[in-house]
Amino acid sequence: IDKMNMKHYQTNDLNLAAVLVSQSFCIENMIFNSKNRASFVFKDSEQLQKTIKDYWDNALRISPQELFTAVRTLKARLYSH
């Protein structure tokens, strides 16, 4: 589920969140629901929206090592909850 409000963008897509982290967007918050499923909250911006569009359009160039590091970092944050 991806949600947007005027100031924040929220997603529970781990891969999208890892891509955003690897592109230097900072997670502002992690929200856990009753099923212990996490949503990642980012500060919304035009650049964030462009990166998300590029992600869905398969138009991003990302270093595999940066992406794998971001996935590992997010998983560590999830499991430490």
Side-chain angles (χ1 to χ4, degrees), residues 10-28:
Q10 179 178 325
T11 183
N12 62 8
D13 183 330
L14 177 67
N15 293 321
L16 174 56
V19 165
L20 295 175
V21 169
S22 74
Q23 298 297 297
S24 300
F25 294 100
C26 296
I27 294 175
E28 297 221 332

Side-chain angles (χ1 to χ4, degrees), residues 2 7 16 18 20-21 26-28 31 36 38-39 42 46-47 49 51 55 58 62-63 66-68 72 79:
D2 295 338
K7 297 180 183 177
L16 174 56
L20 295 175
V21 169
C26 296
I27 294 175
E28 297 221 332
I31 300 169
N36 212 27
S39 291
F42 296 87
E46 286 183 31
Q47 186 61 40
Q49 291 300 317
T51 302
Y55 170 82
N58 200 27
I62 299 174
S63 159
E66 288 178 10
L67 182 59
F68 296 145
R72 275 194 307 270
Y79 299 138

Side-chain angles (χ1 to χ4, degrees), residues 31-39 78-79 81:
I31 300 169
F32 291 86
N33 68 20
S34 60
K35 297 178 184 173
N36 212 27
R37 187 172 175 104
S39 291
L78 287 172
Y79 299 138
H81 176 265

